Amino acid sequence: HFAEITGEDALLTREEFGAIPGLADVPEEIVDAMFDRLDADDSDDVTLEEFNAASAAITVDPARDLNPALVPKDQEASN
């Protein structure tokens, strides 16, 4: 799906990232922060390699991430 979003240049721009339908209701400052995390080399675009590296680093704890009531009080500020 990455190539469908990026087009011929194979680079994901901030605008292309922000236009992803799943991000439509996310505040712009959060979308920008997400893009900045993906853009490892600060080039203002994201390569497939950068995207894959960032995706591989994401860990999900379903018990915590899907039920905030289970997050220990001392960890709430970091989420």
Side-chain angles (χ1 to χ4, degrees), residues 37-72:
R37 298 276 310 262
L38 293 172
D39 185 17
D41 65 0
D42 295 322
S43 62
D44 213 31
D45 54 44
V46 176
T47 64
L48 179 58
E49 291 78 17
E50 286 174 309
F51 185 85
N52 286 339
S55 298
I58 295 172
T59 59
V60 177
D61 178 351
R64 182 198 68 221
D65 297 334
L66 299 177
N67 188 349
L70 298 177
V71 176

Side-chain angles (χ1 to χ4, degrees), residues 23-43:
L23 299 176
D25 295 328
V26 177
E28 185 176 349
E29 59 271 6
I30 293 177
V31 173
D32 283 341
M34 292 168 62
F35 183 86
D36 290 340
R37 298 276 310 262
L38 293 172
D39 185 17
D41 65 0
D42 295 322
S43 62

Side-chain angles (χ1 to χ4, degrees), residues 1-12 16-17 19-21 48:
H1 298 308
F2 190 85
E4 293 173 12
I5 296 168
T6 62
E8 291 183 23
D9 65 0
L11 298 172
L12 182 65
E16 290 167 336
F17 182 71
I20 294 172
L48 179 58

